Amino acid sequence: LRDYPDIHVDIIAFNDPAGGYDINKKPAEGRMSAIKNYLVSLGMNADRIHITEFNPDIISADPRYAPYADKRGIMLFARLKK
């Protein structure tokens, strides 16, 4: 990423349906922040790392995530700066 300054990273957290929004929001936000902090510690500019708002319905809202419908996790997407 150091070699490609126009690349930005979007961090997305998702969860399985168990527990619901209130239980999963804080841990998901903590995981996203930890990843951002780690990338910054490696020398990546924090302005290039974007944490998305936690949305437990992101899996059902986007068919790209269908294989992960019953899982918890974090996804990182690289994109060109807009």
Side-chain angles (χ1 to χ4, degrees), residues 6-36:
D6 288 336
I7 296 291
H8 284 235
V9 174
D10 295 324
I11 304 173
I12 297 172
F14 58 96
N15 61 281
D16 66 21
Y21 180 85
D22 293 333
I23 290 174
N24 288 300
K25 184 178 190 298
K26 188 173 181 176
E29 289 174 342
R31 290 192 310 265
M32 290 187 288
S33 291
I35 290 170
K36 179 175 182 171

Side-chain angles (χ1 to χ4, degrees), residues 4 6 11 17 19 21 23-24 48 50-51 62 64-65 74 78:
Y4 301 96
D6 288 336
I11 304 173
Y21 180 85
I23 290 174
N24 288 300
R48 294 173 54 201
H50 310 277
I51 294 175
D62 191 323
R64 293 178 297 174
Y65 309 137
I74 299 285

